[in-house]
Amino acid sequence: MSFAPFYRDSWAEVELSAIDHNIKELQKRLQPETKIYAVVKANGYGHGDIEVADQALKAGASGLAVALLDEALRLREAGFDCPLLVMGWTRPEDAPLAAEKEIAVTVFQEDWLRQASEQSIPKPLKLHMKWDTGMGRIGIRTTEEMDALLRQIEQNAIFRLEAVFTHFATADDEESDYYLEQEQRFENLFSHFERVWTKDVEFHTGNSAASMRFPERMKHFVRFGISMYGLYPSSVVKEERPIPLSPAFSLHSRLIHVKKVEANQSISYGATYTTEQDEWIGTIPLGYADGWIRKLQGMDVLVDGKRHPIVGRICMDQFMIRLDQEYPVGTKVTLIGKQEDQEITVDEVADYLDTITYEIPCMISSRVPRMYKKQGEQVKARHLLFS
Ligand code: PMH
């Protein structure tokens, strides 16, 4: 394993054993015949695509799903020879490249197939047809559209329809009416499909929420994203805890400056914070350019197993905290994760920002090196900016 050097005192840790645990827990819940595609788009939801993909496949995932052809190509180049699916839009002119690299692409437009068929495609092109059953994003919505696509596929021997899929908009909600409506629309399209298409294809519908909550309704495979990383898709699913998850991501830094500031002095841009008394102020070398955005002013961090608030505006590369006492330069600061019996979870940061857990690791920028651990032991470090 390589240890890419980095020269800063802020880093994210990714516990790969948690990825392994989360996949194995889902497997216990799924029907034995349902396979898992690990969703590693957006650089593995900010955790690192290659490292997560490697661990997910070792844990028993059968394939990898991403949003973009670029992301799939990166994985092929890194040596992954498993099934790879691009779930978003691929340009029809890039169909030959996808075919050559044996990357499955998502289709939902007759025109797309026509344009792709005009290219010189070197090998069979694997297609997954997207059905829009209520997400309203991409996919065919009617049997007429389906028939038009199937005609194009049938007329071109180079096209291989491998699978048909849909995506749920509300699988993580308490209210299941809309989810059931989407399932019904899927079944309606499916009964038409069964009548007109006789060749073998696979079906996949479930994201984390659907696969954990309704495992018996999952088809050939599920697309497991957020919960593979140990995060629940919503507070409803978190309360339900259909499977026990272990979060993989944590974020750390160190104090780089500690000083006593007398009363009535201001801290940081805009002078938005003024000391009330003599206060110990610590500086942390991480800022909004690292994804620790200005709205996190007032949020706590952990030092010495205790909570300390962020005071003053968060700068591009640094921010300040109010300490309960003097600490030496170099003292570890945890922004997400555990120190002794205290923990700041991704959920807490997401709640503070009034957003969803998905956004938090994704927003920690590539300037923050990722350190990989297995059962607490460092196995690799990667500076995403330089790799
Ligand atoms: N399948 C598709 C088509 C997706 O877009 C996503 C996540 C997943 C599966 C995995 O879902 P999960 O992470 O809830 O398990 N897509 C997105 C998105 O577009 N915005 O947030 C999550």
Side-chain angles (χ1 to χ4, degrees):
M1 286 279 188
S2 62
F3 288 80
F6 56 88
Y7 305 97
R8 64 175 300 189
D9 265 340
S10 298
W11 71 99
E13 281 176 20
V14 178
E15 179 47 83
L16 294 170
S17 312
I19 307 279
D20 183 73
H21 166 88
N22 299 328
I23 289 190
K24 290 185 172 146
E25 286 297 324
L26 179 69
Q27 262 165 343
K28 283 191 214 160
R29 197 160 163 84
L30 290 173
Q31 316 267 33
E33 63 277 12
T34 308
K35 295 176 285 181
I36 298 175
Y37 268 49
V39 182
V40 294
K41 59 182 178 160
N43 206 358
Y45 289 36
H47 295 63
D49 52 357
I50 288 166
E51 293 76 9
V52 171
D54 184 51
Q55 187 62 55
L57 294 168
K58 284 185 182 138
S62 304
L64 303 170
V66 291
L68 310 172
L69 181 60
D70 292 277
E71 294 174 327
L73 289 169
R74 204 178 116 80
L75 291 164
R76 270 284 180 265
E77 267 152 38
F80 291 96
D81 56 8
C82 62
L84 273 176
L85 166 64
V86 176
M87 303 184 294
W89 160 264
T90 300
R91 298 180 301 198
E93 57 267 38
D94 295 330
L97 181 58
E100 159 157 11
K101 301 289 180 187
E102 298 183 23
I103 294 167
V105 296
T106 294
V107 291
F108 45 92
Q109 291 154 337
E110 191 188 355
D111 245 14
W112 190 99
L113 288 166
R114 193 172 300 118
Q115 286 177 50
S117 68
E118 285 159 9
Q119 316 280 321
S120 150
I121 298 181
K123 282 187 192 175
L125 177 64
K126 298 174 183 183
L127 304 175
H128 287 218
M129 193 197 289
K130 183 77 184 276
W131 293 355
D132 177 8
T133 56
M135 177 71 184
R137 192 164 64 176
I138 52 173
I140 59 116
R141 293 170 73 93
T142 63
T143 52
E144 290 75 30
E145 285 176 284
M146 187 198 297
D147 289 343
L149 258 68
L150 291 177
R151 265 195 307 276
Q152 287 278 345
I153 293 168
E154 217 155 25
Q155 281 164 15
N156 289 283
I158 206 73
F159 292 146
R160 289 289 148 79
L161 184 63
E162 245 188 8
V164 164
F165 75 115
T166 195
H167 189 51
F168 294 117
T170 62
D172 57 346
D173 271 9
E174 196 155 15
E175 179 58 67
S176 53
D177 285 2
Y178 196 74
Y179 172 82
L180 295 172
E181 206 177 306
Q182 279 201 261
E183 259 196 352
Q184 190 52 53
R185 285 193 214 164
F186 186 85
E187 291 307 323
N188 294 348
L189 288 168
F190 177 67
S191 60
H192 178 79
F193 181 82
E194 258 191 331
R195 280 198 298 277
V196 296
W197 194 260
T198 50
K199 290 182 206 138
D200 272 353
V201 294
E202 293 199 309
F203 294 88
H204 49 104
T205 59
N207 53 3
S208 293
S211 55
M212 293 191 299
R213 297 176 90 194
F214 314 109
E216 66 292 343
R217 299 195 196 156
M218 296 300 105
K219 312 276 176 188
H220 294 98
F221 62 87
V222 295
R223 305 181 305 273
F224 195 40
I226 194 68
S227 297
M228 174 175 69
Y229 302 96
L231 303 171
Y232 290 95
S234 68
S235 52
V236 172
V237 186
K238 189 174 182 187
E239 272 150 38
E240 264 179 28
R241 285 181 192 272
I243 66 172
L245 296 176
S246 180
F249 192 87
S250 59
L251 182 64
H252 310 273
S253 188
R254 293 188 187 281
L255 290 172
I256 53 136
H257 190 50
V258 178
K259 59 184 177 282
K260 192 182 238 175
V261 177
E262 62 273 30
N264 222 21
Q265 299 294 306
S266 290
I267 302 292
S268 196
Y269 286 115
T272 61
Y273 177 79
T274 304
T275 51
E276 285 177 6
Q277 56 204 26
D278 282 4
E279 289 177 9
W280 287 102
I281 298 292
T283 304
I284 294 164
L286 189 96
Y288 68 75
D290 299 301
W292 209 247
I293 59 175
R294 281 164 43 119
K295 284 207 169 70
L296 286 163
Q297 180 170 345
M299 177 78 198
D300 290 336
V301 302
L302 302 178
V303 180
D304 193 30
K306 289 171 279 184
R307 286 176 173 260
H308 297 83
I310 296 174
V311 293
R313 291 222 174 114
I314 293 174
C315 314
M316 189 183 287
D317 326 291
Q318 302 173 76
F319 67 85
M320 276 60 79
I321 59 174
R322 188 179 64 230
L323 294 163
D324 60 343
Q325 60 176 72
E326 184 178 11
Y327 290 97
V329 164
T331 301
K332 187 173 174 184
V333 178
T334 294
L335 293 88
I336 296 173
K338 284 187 195 154
Q339 275 196 9
E340 298 171 30
D341 60 354
Q342 281 291 328
E343 182 173 12
I344 294 174
T345 59
V346 170
D347 297 67
E348 183 181 340
V349 180
D351 284 348
Y352 193 85
L353 292 174
D354 197 20
T355 185
I356 51 170
T357 52
Y358 295 69
E359 226 181 334
I360 308 305
C362 280
M363 79 186 197
I364 304 306
S365 80
S366 56
R367 200 167 71 155
V368 179
R370 268 60 170 174
M371 189 188 283
Y372 295 92
K373 293 192 158 182
K374 279 192 185 169
Q375 263 131 21
E377 290 292 315
Q378 186 182 344
V379 290
K380 184 182 173 187
R382 179 151 77 99
H383 206 310
L384 302 178
L385 266 188
F386 306 119
S387 55

